[in-house]
């Protein structure tokens, strides 16, 4: 039986000029259903309406996929082994390493990290959050949707010291706090991806000289009448 929002997701993907196969679309909708199910008990998100969740969470995160793919293609990075240990708070996890590594900071229910893991199988995604139940939810999503390139990590981002090609956040903190807290996780060749609402001019002006904004990219989210942008930065 078809998912009631399958048509709306397909239309949104068309408007984003994003091509995804049926399997990936089914995973996205299954992920949204898991958020709805867990939110009844764990309050993962304030958004409860399914249509609103599709627009405000799924399509909002999907709007960053094409820009992310573009920037990944530009990265000049060293060769890496097939398996890379991830260290945080004294523990080590073995993370399957496709081609790129992305850290989603303050991931919450896994937005945009889970969406990136589904749509970009060549990206190994780690979603870090200080709330244990949110990291556990991401782990559950990885198991339920059979996503070997997705991990949930319960830790403070300041304790993550392994290098990531992209360190991203969505509605997480000010640009200063985001870059300061996550600087030890950014590879020398890496970039920061901060998803924001309106162009955060004051936050950009507050950044230290060591952080360079190289692009502020406006995003258009289908069905969402609100300003969105990505602030791209390098260390």
């Amino acid at each position: 039986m078809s998912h009631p929002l399958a048509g709306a997701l397909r239309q949104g993907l068309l408007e984003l000029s994003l091509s995804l196969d049926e399997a990936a679309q089914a995973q996205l909708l299954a992920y949204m259903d898991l958020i709805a199910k867990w939110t009844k008990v764990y309050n993962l998100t304030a958004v409860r309406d399914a249509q609103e969740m599709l627009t405000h969470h799924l399509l909002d995160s999907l709007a960053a996929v094409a820009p992310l793919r573009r920037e990944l293609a530009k990265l000049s990075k060293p060769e890496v082994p097939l398996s890379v240990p991830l260290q945080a708070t004294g523990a080590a996890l073995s993370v399957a390493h496709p081609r790129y590594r992305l850290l989603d900071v303050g991931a919450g229910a896994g937005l945009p990290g889970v969406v990136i893991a589904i749509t970009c199988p060549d990206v190994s995604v780690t979603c870090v959050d200080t709330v244990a139940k949110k990291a556990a939810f991401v782990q559950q999503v990885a198991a339920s949707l059979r996503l070997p390139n997705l991990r949930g990590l319960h830790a403070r981002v300041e304790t993550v010291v392994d290098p990531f090609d992209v360190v991203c956040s969505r509605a997480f903190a000010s640009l200063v706090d985001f870059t300061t807290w996550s600087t030890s996780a950014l590879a020398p060749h890496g970039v920061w991806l901060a998803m924001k609402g309106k162009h955060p001019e004051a936050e950009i002006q507050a950044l230290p000289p060591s952080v360079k904004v190289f692009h502020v990219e406006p995003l258009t989210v289908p069905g969402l009448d609100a300003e969105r942008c990505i602030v791209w930065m390098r260390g």
Side-chain angles (χ1 to χ4, degrees):
M1 186 170 135
S2 175
H3 193 284
L5 290 176
L9 174 59
R10 278 195 299 271
Q11 180 58 38
L13 290 169
L14 275 174
E15 293 180 38
L16 289 169
S17 300
L18 196 60
S19 178
L20 293 180
D21 61 25
E22 291 290 333
Q25 292 180 45
Q27 284 179 313
L28 288 169
L29 292 167
Y31 167 50
M32 200 172 70
D33 290 343
L34 283 170
I35 294 178
K37 180 181 176 181
W38 274 58
T39 289
K40 290 175 183 174
V41 179
Y42 293 107
N43 196 30
L44 293 175
T45 173
V47 178
R48 304 296 177 104
D49 176 75
Q51 180 65 55
E52 196 176 345
M53 198 179 289
L54 176 74
T55 304
H56 287 66
H57 286 337
L58 220 54
L59 292 176
D60 191 58
S61 295
L62 284 165
V65 170
L68 172 65
R69 288 175 175 173
R70 180 199 67 229
E71 290 302 323
L72 286 173
K74 294 179 186 175
L75 282 184
S76 173
K77 56 175 289 189
E79 288 299 313
V80 288
L82 291 177
S83 182
V84 177
L86 173 70
Q87 296 176 355
T89 57
L93 296 174
S94 180
V95 175
H97 186 28
R99 188 174 177 191
Y100 304 102
R101 301 181 81 209
L102 178 141
L103 182 69
D104 183 8
V105 179
L111 297 154
V114 173
V115 172
I116 292 167
I118 291 170
T119 56
C120 303
D122 61 338
V123 179
S124 177
V125 177
T126 299
C127 293
V128 62
D129 204 284
T130 55
V131 180
K133 66 187 178 185
K134 293 179 177 178
F137 171 70
V138 172
Q139 284 288 85
Q140 182 60 47
V141 171
S144 299
L145 302 186
R146 294 178 174 83
L147 294 168
N149 62 329
L150 176 66
R151 294 288 185 277
L153 178 66
H154 175 219
R156 294 184 65 84
V157 66
E158 298 95 319
T159 68
V160 179
V161 295
D162 285 330
F164 286 81
D165 304 303
V166 179
V167 177
C168 80
S169 69
R170 175 178 176 266
F172 167 63
S174 71
L175 294 177
V176 169
D177 287 345
F178 168 51
T179 53
T180 300
W181 295 339
S182 64
T183 190
S184 62
L186 189 72
H189 61 271
V191 295
W192 279 293
L193 183 173
M195 297 184 71
K196 290 285 186 177
K198 292 183 179 180
H199 189 295
E201 186 59 39
E203 290 185 32
I204 290 172
Q205 294 301 325
L207 286 167
S210 57
V211 177
K212 307 293 184 187
V213 175
F214 65 90
H215 186 29
V216 179
E217 181 166 3
L219 298 178
T220 300
V221 180
L224 189 62
D225 185 23
E227 289 183 54
R228 291 285 188 271
C229 69
I230 293 175
V231 181
W232 293 99
M233 297 164 285
R234 291 191 182 93

